[in-house]
Amino acid sequence: KRGAGKIEEAEPWNKLLLPASSLPTDPALYVGPFPFYRRPSELGCFSLDAQRQYHGDARALRYYCPPPTNGQSPNFDLRDGYPDRYRPRDEEVQERLDHLLCWVLEHRGRLEGGPGWLAGAIVTWRGHLTKLLTTPYERQEGWQLAASRFQGTLYLSEVETPAARVQRLTRPPVLQELMYMGYKFEQYMCADKPGGSTDPSGEVNTNVAFCSVLRSRLGNHPLLFSGEVDCIDPQAPTTQPPTCYVELKTSKEMHSPGQRKSFYRRKLLKWWAQSFLPGVPNVVAGFRNPEGFVCSLKTFRTMEMFEYVRNDRDGWNPSVCMNFCAAFLSFAQDTVVQDDPRLVYLFSWEPGSPVTVSEHRDAPHAFLPTWYVEAMTQ
Ligand code: 0WD
Ligand code: CA
């Protein structure tokens, strides 16, 4: 929506001079053909160790190691080790884009696409793009994205909303345990070495992460983003990342058609958005019973997830997700005009409302660190 309708019609030049001040999110507005999305290619990777220290290599990458399929079902106790063998990451630390910027700094001179490619790109986390993709269908959680332009590049970094902060600080014990259970599942399914075996006796340390750095393009928006990858399948048909990566998930066992319908409508949307963006082809789900044991596994192909809701009036549509994301990126590109790492545009969204934007300078919203700005200015 651009300004007041009446004035806009009387003075169409307004449209050309003023950037839009908000962006609607209704799914109906984004129905249409699927937009261009470049096949994601991996530019590199990095790892975070048990102390959350950055390393420009794949040391934290784990290997997919499913249980033998000899007719027996798995029996993974996801509550085992909680809380004594749990080392959760300190969520008070706001890392923003720092680790990704570390990678960009190290590789800026030899990025494929040639010199100047980065200046036209958008740099962000995969998780932030996932939130954009699911926005037209999200009815519960809003988001805030901070945006700055620096040397041409548009950087997008999520800001924790006040509501999300309250939720985090008052997270009920059952939810904390549920978070642990997701990571515990990874431990049952992954080995540290190719062909190695799993070791569920160890600690679960969520500081450890392996992140893939990917290049893609949505419409006319070149993208450089990074996402955490759970494991690589050494037996995948192709060993070329991201095609050999596997995403692991847990979900409640389903017993009724209603439970299945809701799983397809809500969870599969999030799983699809998260894995489609980096081109991860398979999501392996562990279904847990009320006692917290995974007794069945199912592989969902990312490219087939939409089939579960294709004929559902209240389902989701990948084109809507991608068209909205492209519209948001254009909105952000048109809004963040000044090239200034200390200037921040804060895009805010709450379900039921359009995306709005406000302008800020320096703390607390500026997110491009001095070490990055200075090194890039050399
Ligand atoms: O700065 C921020 N606001 C955020 C930073 C929000 C979310 C994540 N991060 C960090 C992550 O810790 C990671 O190092 O960014 C990096 C990459 O994240 P991403 O891949 O872009 O994030 P997302 O797709 O949301 O999550 C991927 C995985 C999760 O797997 P599941 O299956 O649950 O979707 O990253 C993990 C988690 O395993 N993860 C986190 N680990 C520690 N702390 C967090 C977190 N807050 N969020 C997601
Ligand atoms: Ca996962």
Side-chain angles (χ1 to χ4, degrees):
K1 299 273 158 65
R2 292 161 192 265
K6 261 278 158 55
I7 295 172
E8 185 181 288
E9 273 168 53
E11 302 169 299
W13 41 265
N14 237 355
K15 234 180 203 163
L16 302 170
L17 297 176
L18 294 176
S21 61
S22 75
L23 180 74
T25 64
D26 320 54
L29 297 173
Y30 299 97
V31 172
F34 196 86
F36 175 82
Y37 188 65
R38 180 193 193 268
R39 180 159 53 88
S41 56
E42 185 175 76
L43 297 175
C45 66
F46 59 87
S47 294
L48 304 176
D49 66 20
Q51 286 74 44
R52 201 73 178 168
Q53 293 306 301
Y54 175 96
H55 301 275
D57 56 44
R59 69 182 68 185
L61 177 58
R62 290 182 295 177
Y63 298 82
Y64 183 58
C65 183
T69 49
N70 49 12
Q72 290 185 38
S73 28
N75 196 32
F76 300 148
D77 180 2
L78 299 182
R79 298 163 74 183
D80 177 56
Y82 186 81
D84 27 295
R85 282 182 285 130
Y86 186 28
R87 297 278 167 274
R89 183 181 80 90
D90 179 359
E91 290 177 286
E92 270 302 299
V93 182
Q94 303 286 324
E95 299 175 329
R96 309 203 260 204
L97 297 184
D98 290 11
H99 296 129
L100 174 55
L101 298 180
C102 214
W103 186 93
V104 171
L105 197 53
E106 227 169 90
H107 295 84
R108 67 189 189 281
R110 39 203 168 91
L111 282 179
E112 65 168 60
W117 181 83
L118 184 60
I122 296 173
V123 171
T124 191
W125 286 114
R126 177 270 309 270
H128 301 0
L129 295 172
T130 305
K131 286 196 179 177
L132 290 171
L133 260 63
T134 59
T135 294
Y137 300 105
E138 176 63 45
R139 287 153 181 261
Q140 304 206 338
E141 280 165 23
W143 47 254
Q144 291 191 313
L145 277 176
S148 289
R149 193 180 295 283
F150 173 52
Q151 295 182 342
T153 308
L154 184 69
Y155 294 86
L156 298 176
S157 178
E158 191 180 15
V159 173
E160 188 177 52
T161 63
R165 179 176 163 78
V166 169
Q167 292 238 333
R168 171 167 64 80
L169 296 174
T170 61
R171 200 181 280 148
V174 279
L175 263 184
Q176 301 193 34
E177 190 173 28
L178 212 54
M179 286 177 63
Y180 171 81
M181 292 162 71
Y183 294 110
K184 186 68 187 175
F185 178 59
E186 298 175 7
Q187 199 183 50
Y188 279 113
M189 297 289 289
C190 299
D192 286 343
K193 298 191 187 74
S197 52
T198 62
D199 178 15
S201 74
E203 287 194 331
V204 169
N205 185 325
T206 58
N207 287 292
V208 180
F210 168 78
C211 293
S212 172
V213 181
L214 300 129
R215 171 190 173 185
S216 183
R217 180 160 55 89
L218 174 55
N220 57 351
H221 303 289
L223 303 173
L224 187 159
F225 60 94
S226 175
E228 198 174 320
V229 169
D230 290 330
C231 55
I232 182 172
D233 181 358
Q235 303 196 15
T238 156
T239 59
Q240 194 177 83
T243 317
C244 50
Y245 291 150
V246 179
E247 172 65 33
L248 302 172
K249 294 286 184 201
T250 61
S251 197
K252 254 200 214 142
E253 267 180 2
M254 297 175 287
H255 298 287
S256 71
Q259 288 173 335
R260 282 177 221 283
K261 187 136 263 178
S262 142
F263 168 82
Y264 301 144
R265 287 176 180 171
R266 300 157 183 270
K267 263 204 170 161
L268 269 197
L269 164 61
K270 297 203 169 161
W271 293 6
W272 170 79
Q274 187 187 41
S275 288
F276 177 75
L277 282 163
V280 171
N282 293 300
V283 178
V284 175
F287 291 99
R288 56 178 152 73
N289 64 23
E291 291 72 46
F293 284 72
V294 164
C295 303
S296 68
L297 301 171
K298 181 175 162 73
T299 300
F300 290 90
R301 298 191 57 78
T302 305
M303 288 310 206
E304 292 167 6
M305 290 179 182
F306 172 55
E307 302 307 327
Y308 292 92
V309 292
R310 192 188 280 277
N311 300 314
D312 181 351
R313 299 178 146 278
D314 294 316
W316 44 277
N317 181 332
S319 301
V320 167
C321 299
M322 298 301 278
N323 286 325
F324 170 75
C325 185
F328 173 81
L329 297 178
S330 297
F331 177 46
Q333 293 281 20
D334 294 344
T335 304
V336 189
V337 177
Q338 268 203 67
D339 200 294
D340 181 346
R342 296 166 55 183
L343 185 62
V344 175
Y345 288 85
L346 188 62
F347 294 90
S348 303
W349 179 72
E350 285 301 329
S353 302
V355 180
T356 59
V357 57
S358 55
E359 207 181 305
H360 306 263
R361 183 168 285 281
D362 296 325
H365 289 308
F367 61 88
L368 291 170
T370 315
W371 56 261
Y372 182 72
V373 171
E374 285 181 353
M376 292 289 279
T377 311
Q378 296 305 308

